[in-house]
Amino acid sequence: MFVFRIDSRSGVPPYLQLVHQVRQAVLLGFLKPGDRLPLIREVSEAVAINPNTVAKAYRQLEQEGLVTGRPGQGTFVNETSAATISPATYTSLQRGLEAWLGRARAAGLDEQAINALFTASLNQAKNENIA
């Protein structure tokens, strides 16, 4: 079963954190078409947020076409046209990223500096049509 996490220090509204987590889980293949998301009540109790916040996240995911709510049954992941990453590719990329993070930490970068470097590199790659 999919488990949500909320970071109260992130500055990102809780409903958007839920939306981002579902998007990422679908992209990475952790959630597959037909999988049921946890019930609103279950999420609300597990992460200690208002059920209306969870409902807002689920509504946004429905509007995006990522999930469909079925009355009395729950909310289910839709078939998507977005490509998912194979487990082998995911593992390889994760290992490479972990190695890069280790080198960044060894060079003395803290989390904020690592985020800044990664974001700058991603934006540069977008501008050069690499990413």
Side-chain angles (χ1 to χ4, degrees), residues 95-124:
R95 285 185 184 141
L97 186 54
E98 288 169 353
W100 180 84
L101 289 169
R103 290 193 310 275
R105 287 273 186 211
L109 276 68
D110 63 6
E111 185 175 341
Q112 187 175 9
I114 290 170
N115 281 330
L117 178 58
F118 181 83
T119 301
S121 297
L122 182 60
N123 287 336
Q124 182 178 352

Side-chain angles (χ1 to χ4, degrees), residues 35-117:
D35 285 351
R36 183 178 67 81
L37 295 181
L39 299 174
I40 290 172
R41 176 186 45 78
E42 294 170 341
V43 176
S44 175
E45 291 172 359
V47 297
I49 59 175
N50 190 302
N52 292 330
T53 302
V54 182
K56 182 177 181 177
Y58 281 20
R59 277 193 308 274
Q60 181 167 332
L61 290 164
E62 278 192 76
Q63 289 171 349
E64 293 176 9
L66 200 57
V67 301
T68 299
R70 298 181 195 154
Q73 296 178 21
T75 303
F76 296 84
V77 176
N78 291 334
E79 292 284 339
T80 63
S81 58
T84 59
I85 299 172
S86 74
T89 300
Y90 173 79
T91 300
S92 174
L93 291 171
Q94 183 179 25
R95 285 185 184 141
L97 186 54
E98 288 169 353
W100 180 84
L101 289 169
R103 290 193 310 275
R105 287 273 186 211
L109 276 68
D110 63 6
E111 185 175 341
Q112 187 175 9
I114 290 170
N115 281 330
L117 178 58

Side-chain angles (χ1 to χ4, degrees), residues 2-7 12-25 31 37-38 40 43-44 47 49-58 60-61 66:
F2 187 72
V3 177
F4 288 104
R5 294 191 181 0
I6 298 295
D7 180 359
V12 176
Y15 87 95
L16 279 179
Q17 291 184 47
L18 300 178
V19 169
H20 294 163
Q21 288 173 44
V22 171
R23 283 184 196 144
Q24 289 176 345
L31 284 173
L37 295 181
I40 290 172
V43 176
S44 175
V47 297
I49 59 175
N50 190 302
N52 292 330
T53 302
V54 182
K56 182 177 181 177
Y58 281 20
Q60 181 167 332
L61 290 164
L66 200 57

